[in-house]
Short mmCIF file of all heavy atoms in Angstrom, two decimals:
data_model
loop_
_atom_site.label_atom_id
_atom_site.label_comp_id
_atom_site.label_asym_id
_atom_site.label_seq_id
_atom_site.Cartn_x
_atom_site.Cartn_y
_atom_site.Cartn_z
N THR H 431 36.89 19.89 56.09
CA THR H 431 35.90 19.06 56.75
C THR H 431 34.53 19.69 56.76
O THR H 431 33.55 19.27 56.05
CB THR H 431 36.40 18.74 58.14
OG1 THR H 431 36.56 19.94 58.88
CG2 THR H 431 37.73 17.93 58.14
N VAL H 432 34.38 20.75 57.59
CA VAL H 432 33.18 21.57 57.69
C VAL H 432 33.54 22.98 58.02
O VAL H 432 34.72 23.21 58.31
CB VAL H 432 32.21 21.00 58.86
CG1 VAL H 432 31.86 19.58 58.51
CG2 VAL H 432 32.82 21.09 60.20
N TYR H 433 32.64 23.93 58.01
CA TYR H 433 32.98 25.26 58.43
C TYR H 433 33.18 25.29 59.98
O TYR H 433 32.46 24.64 60.71
CB TYR H 433 31.84 26.33 58.08
CG TYR H 433 31.99 26.80 56.58
CD1 TYR H 433 31.92 25.98 55.50
CD2 TYR H 433 32.29 28.17 56.37
CE1 TYR H 433 32.09 26.45 54.15
CE2 TYR H 433 32.50 28.57 55.11
CZ TYR H 433 32.30 27.73 54.01
OH TYR H 433 32.49 28.27 52.69
N GLY H 434 34.22 26.12 60.43
CA GLY H 434 34.51 26.26 61.76
C GLY H 434 34.14 27.64 62.35
O GLY H 434 33.97 28.60 61.51
N LEU H 435 33.86 27.77 63.67
CA LEU H 435 33.66 29.07 64.29
C LEU H 435 34.77 29.30 65.18
O LEU H 435 34.99 28.69 66.26
CB LEU H 435 32.25 29.07 65.00
CG LEU H 435 32.04 30.38 65.79
CD1 LEU H 435 31.97 31.62 64.92
CD2 LEU H 435 30.73 30.24 66.63
N LYS H 452 26.80 29.51 69.85
CA LYS H 452 26.33 28.18 69.36
C LYS H 452 25.25 27.54 70.24
O LYS H 452 24.66 26.63 69.87
CB LYS H 452 27.52 27.19 69.29
CG LYS H 452 28.55 27.47 68.23
CD LYS H 452 29.44 26.21 68.14
CE LYS H 452 28.72 24.87 68.04
NZ LYS H 452 29.34 23.89 67.16
N ARG H 454 26.33 26.01 72.91
CA ARG H 454 27.13 24.78 73.14
C ARG H 454 27.36 24.60 74.64
O ARG H 454 27.71 25.47 75.32
CB ARG H 454 28.50 24.97 72.44
CG ARG H 454 29.39 23.66 72.35
CD ARG H 454 30.59 24.07 71.70
NE ARG H 454 31.59 22.93 71.68
CZ ARG H 454 31.76 22.06 70.70
NH1 ARG H 454 30.92 22.09 69.63
NH2 ARG H 454 32.77 21.11 70.72
N ASP H 457 30.99 21.81 78.69
CA ASP H 457 31.89 20.58 78.96
C ASP H 457 32.17 19.98 77.69
O ASP H 457 32.65 18.82 77.71
CB ASP H 457 31.26 19.70 79.98
CG ASP H 457 29.91 19.18 79.45
OD1 ASP H 457 29.39 19.65 78.49
OD2 ASP H 457 29.43 18.18 80.11
N ASN H 458 32.06 20.68 76.56
CA ASN H 458 32.45 20.07 75.29
C ASN H 458 33.60 20.84 74.69
O ASN H 458 33.41 21.99 74.34
CB ASN H 458 31.18 20.18 74.35
CG ASN H 458 31.25 19.19 73.25
OD1 ASN H 458 32.28 18.45 73.01
ND2 ASN H 458 30.29 19.16 72.32
N PRO H 459 34.83 20.23 74.58
CA PRO H 459 36.02 21.02 74.22
C PRO H 459 36.02 21.41 72.82
O PRO H 459 35.36 20.91 71.99
CB PRO H 459 37.15 20.05 74.60
CG PRO H 459 36.58 18.73 74.47
CD PRO H 459 35.03 18.82 74.92
N LEU H 460 36.92 22.39 72.52
CA LEU H 460 37.14 22.90 71.13
C LEU H 460 38.44 22.35 70.51
O LEU H 460 39.31 22.02 71.21
CB LEU H 460 37.16 24.42 71.14
CG LEU H 460 36.08 25.04 71.98
CD1 LEU H 460 36.27 26.64 71.97
CD2 LEU H 460 34.68 24.83 71.43
N ILE H 461 38.50 22.31 69.19
CA ILE H 461 39.71 21.89 68.51
C ILE H 461 40.51 23.21 68.20
O ILE H 461 40.04 24.20 67.80
CB ILE H 461 39.40 21.10 67.26
CG1 ILE H 461 38.80 19.73 67.70
CG2 ILE H 461 40.60 20.96 66.46
CD1 ILE H 461 38.21 19.05 66.45
N VAL H 462 41.86 23.09 68.47
CA VAL H 462 42.68 24.27 68.22
C VAL H 462 43.30 24.14 66.72
O VAL H 462 43.96 23.04 66.48
CB VAL H 462 43.78 24.40 69.18
CG1 VAL H 462 44.69 25.59 68.87
CG2 VAL H 462 43.17 24.58 70.60
N HIS H 463 43.07 25.10 65.96
CA HIS H 463 43.44 25.12 64.52
C HIS H 463 44.80 25.91 64.38
O HIS H 463 44.91 26.95 64.85
CB HIS H 463 42.34 25.68 63.66
CG HIS H 463 41.18 24.84 63.60
ND1 HIS H 463 40.28 24.72 64.70
CD2 HIS H 463 40.63 23.99 62.66
CE1 HIS H 463 39.30 23.82 64.37
NE2 HIS H 463 39.50 23.37 63.10
N THR H 494 42.56 15.42 63.78
CA THR H 494 42.85 16.11 64.96
C THR H 494 43.60 15.10 65.91
O THR H 494 43.05 13.94 66.08
CB THR H 494 41.52 16.55 65.66
OG1 THR H 494 40.82 17.43 64.78
CG2 THR H 494 41.72 17.20 66.93
N VAL H 495 44.63 15.63 66.45
CA VAL H 495 45.32 14.75 67.51
C VAL H 495 45.18 15.32 68.85
O VAL H 495 45.24 16.62 69.02
CB VAL H 495 46.76 14.43 67.22
CG1 VAL H 495 47.01 13.57 65.97
CG2 VAL H 495 47.62 15.76 67.10
N VAL H 496 44.88 14.59 69.83
CA VAL H 496 44.75 15.07 71.23
C VAL H 496 46.08 14.85 71.97
O VAL H 496 46.64 13.79 71.94
CB VAL H 496 43.54 14.34 72.02
CG1 VAL H 496 43.46 14.70 73.39
CG2 VAL H 496 42.19 14.58 71.26
N LEU H 497 46.66 15.99 72.51
CA LEU H 497 47.90 16.03 73.10
C LEU H 497 47.84 16.61 74.52
O LEU H 497 46.74 17.13 74.88
CB LEU H 497 48.85 16.96 72.30
CG LEU H 497 48.92 16.58 70.79
CD1 LEU H 497 49.62 17.71 70.03
CD2 LEU H 497 49.72 15.31 70.63
N LYS H 499 48.01 19.46 77.12
CA LYS H 499 47.86 20.82 77.00
C LYS H 499 48.89 21.65 77.76
O LYS H 499 49.27 21.27 78.85
CB LYS H 499 46.38 21.15 77.45
CG LYS H 499 45.93 22.55 77.45
CD LYS H 499 44.59 22.66 77.93
CE LYS H 499 44.49 23.04 79.45
NZ LYS H 499 45.10 24.38 79.72
N VAL H 507 38.86 26.36 76.78
CA VAL H 507 39.05 25.69 75.52
C VAL H 507 38.95 24.21 75.50
O VAL H 507 38.45 23.49 74.70
CB VAL H 507 40.50 26.12 74.91
CG1 VAL H 507 40.83 25.33 73.67
CG2 VAL H 507 40.59 27.55 74.65
N SER H 508 39.58 23.67 76.61
CA SER H 508 39.72 22.15 76.70
C SER H 508 38.55 21.65 77.55
O SER H 508 38.57 20.43 77.96
CB SER H 508 40.98 21.86 77.38
OG SER H 508 41.20 22.33 78.58
N ALA H 509 37.53 22.45 78.00
CA ALA H 509 36.53 22.08 78.98
C ALA H 509 37.09 21.49 80.19
O ALA H 509 36.57 20.47 80.77
CB ALA H 509 35.60 21.12 78.21
N LEU H 511 39.80 19.83 80.62
CA LEU H 511 40.70 18.63 80.47
C LEU H 511 42.15 19.11 80.50
O LEU H 511 42.53 20.23 80.03
CB LEU H 511 40.39 17.93 79.15
CG LEU H 511 39.00 17.33 78.96
CD1 LEU H 511 38.77 16.93 77.50
CD2 LEU H 511 38.80 16.16 79.90
N PRO H 512 43.04 18.19 80.85
CA PRO H 512 44.50 18.49 80.72
C PRO H 512 45.00 18.26 79.35
O PRO H 512 46.22 18.33 79.12
CB PRO H 512 45.15 17.47 81.74
CG PRO H 512 44.22 16.31 81.72
CD PRO H 512 42.86 16.88 81.44
N THR H 513 44.16 18.01 78.37
CA THR H 513 44.59 17.72 77.00
C THR H 513 43.97 18.77 76.08
O THR H 513 43.06 19.51 76.43
CB THR H 513 44.03 16.40 76.57
OG1 THR H 513 42.64 16.37 76.73
CG2 THR H 513 44.64 15.22 77.41
N VAL H 514 44.53 18.78 74.85
CA VAL H 514 43.97 19.62 73.84
C VAL H 514 44.04 19.01 72.45
O VAL H 514 45.00 18.39 72.10
CB VAL H 514 44.78 21.05 73.82
CG1 VAL H 514 46.25 20.85 73.51
CG2 VAL H 514 44.13 22.02 72.90
N GLY H 515 42.94 19.23 71.68
CA GLY H 515 42.93 18.58 70.29
C GLY H 515 43.43 19.64 69.38
O GLY H 515 43.01 20.75 69.46
N VAL H 516 44.43 19.24 68.55
CA VAL H 516 44.95 20.20 67.49
C VAL H 516 44.84 19.63 66.10
O VAL H 516 44.93 18.45 65.83
CB VAL H 516 46.42 20.59 67.73
CG1 VAL H 516 46.63 21.16 69.17
CG2 VAL H 516 47.34 19.41 67.52
N ARG H 517 44.56 20.59 65.16
CA ARG H 517 44.44 20.30 63.80
C ARG H 517 45.10 21.37 62.85
O ARG H 517 45.04 22.55 63.30
CB ARG H 517 42.95 20.04 63.43
CG ARG H 517 42.68 19.65 61.94
CD ARG H 517 41.27 19.17 61.81
NE ARG H 517 40.41 20.07 61.15
CZ ARG H 517 40.40 20.28 59.85
NH1 ARG H 517 41.25 19.69 59.05
NH2 ARG H 517 39.59 21.11 59.22
N ALA H 537 38.20 26.39 67.58
CA ALA H 537 36.99 26.37 66.77
C ALA H 537 36.35 25.08 66.78
O ALA H 537 36.89 24.00 66.46
CB ALA H 537 37.40 26.75 65.32
N PRO H 538 34.99 25.06 67.14
CA PRO H 538 34.23 23.89 66.83
C PRO H 538 33.51 24.12 65.50
O PRO H 538 33.85 25.17 64.74
CB PRO H 538 33.13 23.97 68.01
CG PRO H 538 32.96 25.44 68.17
CD PRO H 538 34.28 26.14 67.79
N SER H 539 32.56 23.25 65.03
CA SER H 539 31.80 23.46 63.82
C SER H 539 30.92 24.72 64.05
O SER H 539 30.47 25.05 65.08
CB SER H 539 31.10 22.30 63.52
OG SER H 539 30.27 21.83 64.69
N ALA H 540 30.66 25.45 62.90
CA ALA H 540 29.98 26.70 62.99
C ALA H 540 28.44 26.61 62.83
O ALA H 540 27.86 27.26 62.04
CB ALA H 540 30.49 27.66 61.83
N ASN H 541 27.84 25.64 63.57
CA ASN H 541 26.43 25.48 63.64
C ASN H 541 25.89 25.75 64.97
O ASN H 541 26.66 25.83 65.91
CB ASN H 541 26.09 23.99 63.24
CG ASN H 541 26.92 22.97 64.11
OD1 ASN H 541 28.15 22.78 63.90
ND2 ASN H 541 26.32 22.46 65.08
N SER H 547 26.52 19.91 61.13
CA SER H 547 27.56 20.84 60.87
C SER H 547 27.41 21.42 59.51
O SER H 547 26.96 20.90 58.56
CB SER H 547 28.94 20.07 60.89
OG SER H 547 29.22 19.51 62.17
N PRO H 548 27.71 22.70 59.39
CA PRO H 548 27.60 23.47 58.13
C PRO H 548 28.67 23.11 57.16
O PRO H 548 29.95 23.08 57.37
CB PRO H 548 27.64 24.87 58.50
CG PRO H 548 28.57 24.88 59.71
CD PRO H 548 28.39 23.65 60.36
N GLU H 576 33.10 16.10 59.95
CA GLU H 576 34.11 16.61 60.92
C GLU H 576 35.38 15.67 60.89
O GLU H 576 35.28 14.44 60.51
CB GLU H 576 33.58 16.68 62.34
CG GLU H 576 32.26 17.43 62.45
CD GLU H 576 31.02 16.64 62.04
OE1 GLU H 576 31.18 15.52 61.53
OE2 GLU H 576 29.89 17.22 62.24
N SER H 577 36.50 16.23 61.38
CA SER H 577 37.77 15.54 61.37
C SER H 577 37.80 14.22 62.15
O SER H 577 36.99 14.09 63.15
CB SER H 577 38.81 16.47 61.95
OG SER H 577 38.54 16.87 63.27
N ILE H 579 39.37 12.10 64.95
CA ILE H 579 40.16 12.59 66.25
C ILE H 579 40.80 11.34 66.83
O ILE H 579 40.16 10.26 67.07
CB ILE H 579 39.16 13.15 67.26
CG1 ILE H 579 38.39 14.32 66.65
CG2 ILE H 579 39.96 13.50 68.50
CD1 ILE H 579 37.41 14.97 67.57
N VAL H 580 42.14 11.47 67.07
CA VAL H 580 42.86 10.34 67.74
C VAL H 580 43.50 10.88 68.98
O VAL H 580 44.20 12.02 69.00
CB VAL H 580 44.03 9.83 66.78
CG1 VAL H 580 44.85 8.78 67.53
CG2 VAL H 580 43.37 9.23 65.55
N ASP H 581 43.25 10.28 70.16
CA ASP H 581 43.83 10.63 71.38
C ASP H 581 45.16 9.98 71.51
O ASP H 581 45.33 8.68 71.65
CB ASP H 581 42.90 10.18 72.58
CG ASP H 581 43.44 10.66 73.92
OD1 ASP H 581 44.59 11.22 73.99
OD2 ASP H 581 42.66 10.41 75.00
N THR H 583 47.33 10.82 73.98
CA THR H 583 47.92 10.86 75.31
C THR H 583 47.78 9.50 76.02
O THR H 583 48.13 9.42 77.26
CB THR H 583 47.18 11.99 76.07
OG1 THR H 583 45.76 11.60 76.34
CG2 THR H 583 47.22 13.36 75.48
N LEU H 590 38.80 8.47 68.70
CA LEU H 590 37.68 9.01 69.43
C LEU H 590 36.50 9.38 68.55
O LEU H 590 35.37 9.36 68.88
CB LEU H 590 38.07 10.31 70.17
CG LEU H 590 39.12 10.18 71.34
CD1 LEU H 590 39.35 11.58 71.92
CD2 LEU H 590 38.65 9.16 72.32
N ARG H 591 36.91 9.84 67.26
CA ARG H 591 35.76 10.10 66.28
C ARG H 591 36.31 9.76 64.90
O ARG H 591 37.47 10.02 64.58
CB ARG H 591 35.47 11.60 66.36
CG ARG H 591 34.40 12.05 65.35
CD ARG H 591 33.96 13.49 65.61
NE ARG H 591 34.93 14.47 65.15
CZ ARG H 591 34.86 15.76 65.27
NH1 ARG H 591 33.76 16.31 65.97
NH2 ARG H 591 35.74 16.66 64.78
N PRO H 619 32.12 9.87 79.50
CA PRO H 619 32.61 9.69 78.07
C PRO H 619 34.04 9.79 77.86
O PRO H 619 34.73 10.57 78.61
CB PRO H 619 31.84 10.87 77.37
CG PRO H 619 31.54 11.87 78.46
CD PRO H 619 31.44 11.04 79.76
N LYS H 620 34.65 9.07 76.92
CA LYS H 620 36.10 9.12 76.67
C LYS H 620 36.42 10.44 76.03
O LYS H 620 37.46 11.01 76.28
CB LYS H 620 36.43 8.05 75.65
CG LYS H 620 36.26 6.62 76.13
CD LYS H 620 37.56 5.92 76.32
CE LYS H 620 37.48 4.55 77.14
NZ LYS H 620 36.31 3.87 76.86
N SER H 621 35.50 10.95 75.18
CA SER H 621 35.61 12.28 74.61
C SER H 621 34.37 13.00 74.89
O SER H 621 33.25 12.44 74.72
CB SER H 621 35.84 12.15 73.10
OG SER H 621 35.68 13.41 72.49
N PRO H 622 34.46 14.19 75.49
CA PRO H 622 33.33 14.93 75.93
C PRO H 622 32.20 15.08 74.87
O PRO H 622 31.04 15.02 75.17
CB PRO H 622 33.84 16.25 76.37
CG PRO H 622 35.30 16.04 76.51
CD PRO H 622 35.73 14.98 75.61
N GLY H 623 32.68 15.15 73.54
CA GLY H 623 31.62 15.22 72.52
C GLY H 623 30.81 14.09 72.42
O GLY H 623 29.71 14.13 71.81
N MET H 624 31.21 12.91 72.92
CA MET H 624 30.49 11.71 72.70
C MET H 624 29.11 11.67 73.42
O MET H 624 28.26 10.87 72.99
CB MET H 624 31.32 10.50 73.18
CG MET H 624 32.43 10.16 72.33
SD MET H 624 33.30 8.79 73.07
CE MET H 624 34.40 8.36 71.74
N LYS H 625 28.88 12.46 74.42
CA LYS H 625 27.66 12.30 75.17
C LYS H 625 26.49 13.10 74.55
O LYS H 625 25.40 12.97 74.98
CB LYS H 625 27.88 12.67 76.62
CG LYS H 625 27.93 14.06 76.94
CD LYS H 625 28.15 14.12 78.46
CE LYS H 625 27.79 15.48 79.03
NZ LYS H 625 28.48 15.88 80.20
N TYR H 626 26.81 13.91 73.61
CA TYR H 626 25.72 14.69 73.01
C TYR H 626 25.24 14.17 71.74
O TYR H 626 25.88 13.67 70.95
CB TYR H 626 26.25 16.17 72.74
CG TYR H 626 26.67 16.84 74.03
CD1 TYR H 626 27.96 17.06 74.38
CD2 TYR H 626 25.69 17.19 75.00
CE1 TYR H 626 28.33 17.65 75.51
CE2 TYR H 626 26.07 17.81 76.18
CZ TYR H 626 27.36 18.02 76.47
OH TYR H 626 27.72 18.52 77.63
N HIS H 628 24.27 14.70 68.15
CA HIS H 628 24.80 15.59 67.19
C HIS H 628 24.09 15.52 65.88
O HIS H 628 23.39 14.62 65.64
CB HIS H 628 26.22 15.16 66.97
CG HIS H 628 27.24 15.74 67.83
ND1 HIS H 628 27.47 15.37 69.10
CD2 HIS H 628 28.21 16.78 67.59
CE1 HIS H 628 28.43 16.10 69.65
NE2 HIS H 628 28.84 16.94 68.70
N TYR H 629 24.46 16.47 65.04
CA TYR H 629 24.30 16.31 63.57
C TYR H 629 22.80 15.99 63.23
O TYR H 629 22.44 15.33 62.32
CB TYR H 629 25.11 15.13 62.98
CG TYR H 629 26.43 14.94 63.70
CD1 TYR H 629 26.68 13.91 64.51
CD2 TYR H 629 27.37 15.91 63.58
CE1 TYR H 629 27.94 13.72 65.12
CE2 TYR H 629 28.62 15.79 64.17
CZ TYR H 629 28.90 14.64 64.99
OH TYR H 629 30.10 14.49 65.58
N ARG H 711 27.87 9.23 61.97
CA ARG H 711 27.04 10.38 61.92
C ARG H 711 25.50 10.04 61.73
O ARG H 711 24.62 10.74 62.29
CB ARG H 711 27.43 11.40 60.85
CG ARG H 711 28.88 11.80 60.83
CD ARG H 711 29.45 12.23 62.11
NE ARG H 711 30.80 12.81 62.01
CZ ARG H 711 31.87 12.16 62.04
NH1 ARG H 711 31.90 10.85 62.23
NH2 ARG H 711 33.03 12.84 61.91
N LYS H 714 24.19 8.83 65.03
CA LYS H 714 23.92 10.05 65.90
C LYS H 714 22.70 10.87 65.46
O LYS H 714 21.97 11.25 66.27
CB LYS H 714 25.18 10.86 65.93
CG LYS H 714 26.25 10.26 66.78
CD LYS H 714 27.52 11.10 66.89
CE LYS H 714 28.48 10.43 67.91
NZ LYS H 714 29.89 10.68 67.53
P1 AMP F 332 33.27 19.84 66.85
O1 AMP F 332 34.34 19.81 65.78
O2 AMP F 332 32.29 20.95 66.73
O3 AMP F 332 32.59 18.45 67.01
O4 AMP F 332 33.96 20.03 68.26
C1 AMP F 332 35.17 19.45 68.70
C2 AMP F 332 35.05 17.99 69.23
O5 AMP F 332 36.41 17.57 69.36
C3 AMP F 332 34.44 17.84 70.53
O6 AMP F 332 33.03 17.67 70.52
C4 AMP F 332 35.19 16.78 71.18
O7 AMP F 332 34.49 15.45 70.82
C5 AMP F 332 36.52 16.74 70.47
N1 AMP F 332 37.63 17.18 71.29
C6 AMP F 332 38.16 18.38 71.28
N2 AMP F 332 39.25 18.42 72.25
C7 AMP F 332 39.23 17.26 72.85
C8 AMP F 332 40.08 16.79 73.88
N3 AMP F 332 41.02 17.46 74.49
N4 AMP F 332 39.82 15.49 74.29
C9 AMP F 332 38.87 14.77 73.65
N5 AMP F 332 38.08 15.23 72.62
C10 AMP F 332 38.26 16.41 72.22
#
Side-chain angles (χ1 to χ4, degrees):
T431 58
V432 300
Y433 273 66
L435 175 60
K452 288 191 51 141
R454 185 180 175 96
D457 61 349
N458 200 359
L460 310 178
I461 292 170
V462 177
H463 292 68
T494 297
V495 293
V496 173
L497 304 169
K499 182 178 91 64
V507 172
S508 63
L511 297 169
T513 57
V514 62
V516 303
R517 179 166 108 77
S539 52
N541 51 284
S547 296
E576 305 82 353
S577 58
I579 305 181
V580 176
D581 185 353
T583 66
L590 297 181
R591 179 170 75 186
K620 297 248 169 36
S621 168
M624 286 180 169
K625 80 180 196 209
Y626 298 106
H628 267 77
Y629 327 112
R711 305 312 190 272
K714 284 180 173 146

